[in-house]
Amino acid sequence: ASQELINILFGEETEPANLRMALVPFAAGVNVGTGFDTAWLDMAGASSIHDENFNPGVNLWTLYANLTNRDWNGCVQSRPSPYDELDTPPTPGTPDTMFVPWFAPDEPNSPSGYPNSYLSDGVTGSANVRQRSIGKYTASVSSASKGPHRGCMNTLAITPLTNNRGLLEAQIADMTASDLTHIPVGLVWGWHVISPGAPFTQGKPYDDNKNIKALVLMTDGDNTIGAEGNHNKSTYTAYGYLQEARLGTTNASTAKNILDDKTETLCENIKNANIRLYTIAFQVSSATTLNMLKSCASDEAMFFGTSDAAALQEAFKTIATELSNLRISK
């Protein structure tokens, strides 16, 4: 279906002069790529979420440096509210606008029920004390373990705005489905890649009346929380663990509703930035999610509820044709 979008918008061209497209794969988080400008990463550990799962003052970059066989893979956490719903450029003077690396902690070796235990605890005490200990991060992580990348291990990196057809097609072909669904995480990065401000700066200015900005959001599921029966209360995602209540709650059902609310807020913010917003639900059965995506679209006609591959392809074809016609009219 995505290939259909490219076929129509690019036509016979391989590098059209007046077209740019970006690709933002998302699951429980987003991978910005390791070539990301460190000026927008919180290298100093100043953000309020940097040491959230450890003792105060911990810098996640130090933990990555201390692990002998794992480096940062490009995945990032969601910024603290309200910046997770905004396109505010990262500024060192406001640490919570900076981006923090994804780091799924080593969970306790015992009791059972912890899905991401990849190092020896090294200390005694409660499960929480053993999980927060940082001395253990000087070892090697088993090659069979996802380690600190769990939850964002297989998420393909963002492809920033480009007119390189071959690159986009190759990246689409490489995508695989895995892990949970956090729609607002994908949505906000879709906004980041087409806006003119940092962290990605390839987007045209909003007041360029010769330019059309459009965002196509496609999801094959509801916002989800991987609830766990341990002290973390969930698996690790771009919003950390439920236990830390970054979503304002430690209840999985309430957290899902908050993710829905954040999705709706982001949709309004994106539309207010004069961006055309199309939404596609693929094999989604939840009436709540379908209604949310319908209200998210710039117009009800720009929402597509699809149940099979043919309908999904038709949705992308309709969107591409409309955008192509708009380009011609401009």
Side-chain angles (χ1 to χ4, degrees):
S2 301
Q3 183 64 55
E4 187 75 30
L5 186 76
I6 289 176
N7 290 343
I8 294 172
L9 288 176
F10 278 75
E12 298 300 319
E13 298 182 86
T14 56
E15 293 187 350
N18 297 315
L19 173 68
R20 298 291 185 275
M21 187 182 295
L23 180 66
V24 181
F26 70 94
V30 163
N31 186 329
V32 300
T34 53
F36 197 67
D37 188 347
T38 59
W40 312 121
L41 293 170
D42 180 22
M43 306 302 292
S47 169
S48 63
I49 62 171
H50 219 291
D51 56 8
E52 180 179 67
N53 297 296
F54 303 94
N55 295 323
V58 170
N59 188 322
L60 297 179
W61 297 111
T62 301
L63 298 189
Y64 268 121
N66 288 346
L67 285 173
T68 58
N69 65 338
R70 292 296 171 95
D71 296 318
W72 179 57
N73 68 345
C75 291
V76 292
Q77 301 184 48
S78 290
R79 296 190 290 186
S81 182
Y83 301 111
D84 60 330
E85 301 168 354
L86 300 170
D87 187 44
T88 306
T91 307
T94 308
D96 279 355
T97 64
M98 303 292 281
F99 292 99
V100 175
W102 182 287
F103 195 101
D106 167 63
E107 296 173 356
N109 299 141
S110 63
S112 61
Y114 286 93
N116 196 36
S117 177
Y118 55 89
L119 295 171
S120 174
D121 285 348
V123 297
T124 59
S126 69
N128 186 49
V129 167
R130 284 179 282 135
Q131 181 170 293
R132 288 179 176 273
S133 173
I134 63 169
K136 55 188 172 182
Y137 293 100
T138 55
S140 173
V141 178
S142 166
S143 60
S145 173
K146 295 180 179 179
H149 302 152
R150 191 176 196 273
C152 199
M153 181 79 173
N154 301 313
T155 304
L156 202 67
I158 286 174
T159 303
L161 284 174
T162 179
N163 67 343
N164 186 325
R165 179 178 187 153
L167 174 61
L168 290 164
E169 291 177 334
Q171 293 297 91
I172 289 171
D174 283 346
M175 287 177 64
T176 58
S178 65
D179 301 307
L180 304 173
T181 300
H182 277 14
I183 298 173
V185 176
L187 191 54
V188 75
W189 279 101
W191 187 7
H192 291 333
V193 295
I194 61 176
S195 74
F200 292 101
T201 57
Q202 294 91 344
K204 294 282 189 180
Y206 286 115
D207 58 1
D208 183 347
N209 59 14
K210 294 182 179 180
N211 184 65
I212 300 168
K213 291 183 186 291
L215 192 157
V216 181
L217 169 68
M218 195 278 280
T219 179
D220 63 351
D222 312 325
N223 278 312
T224 50
I225 297 289
E228 292 286 347
N230 56 49
H231 85 278
N232 293 318
K233 299 188 180 295
S234 73
T235 55
Y236 185 86
T237 74
Y239 282 97
Y241 291 119
L242 268 182
Q243 175 61 22
E244 302 301 324
R246 201 190 304 174
L247 285 168
T249 182
T250 59
N251 179 274
S253 179
T254 304
K256 181 208 175 298
N257 293 336
I258 292 171
L259 287 175
D260 287 349
D261 292 342
K262 286 185 174 294
T263 301
E264 292 176 339
T265 298
L266 265 164
C267 288
E268 293 307 310
N269 291 344
I270 288 168
K271 289 183 287 189
N272 288 338
N274 200 29
I275 296 169
R276 298 179 64 83
L277 180 55
Y278 298 87
T279 59
I280 303 174
F282 179 60
Q283 297 183 341
V284 173
S285 58
S286 165
T288 299
T289 301
L290 291 171
N291 288 332
M292 176 186 71
L293 293 173
K294 184 180 294 185
S295 66
C296 267
S298 294
D299 182 272
E300 191 169 314
M302 295 164 70
F303 161 74
F304 301 85
T306 62
S307 58
D308 55 34
L312 184 64
Q313 288 177 331
E314 188 62 30
F316 272 89
K317 182 178 179 180
T318 300
I319 293 169
T321 301
E322 180 174 309
L323 289 174
S324 184
N325 291 336
L326 284 170
R327 285 181 63 209
I328 293 171
S329 68
K330 284 281 187 178

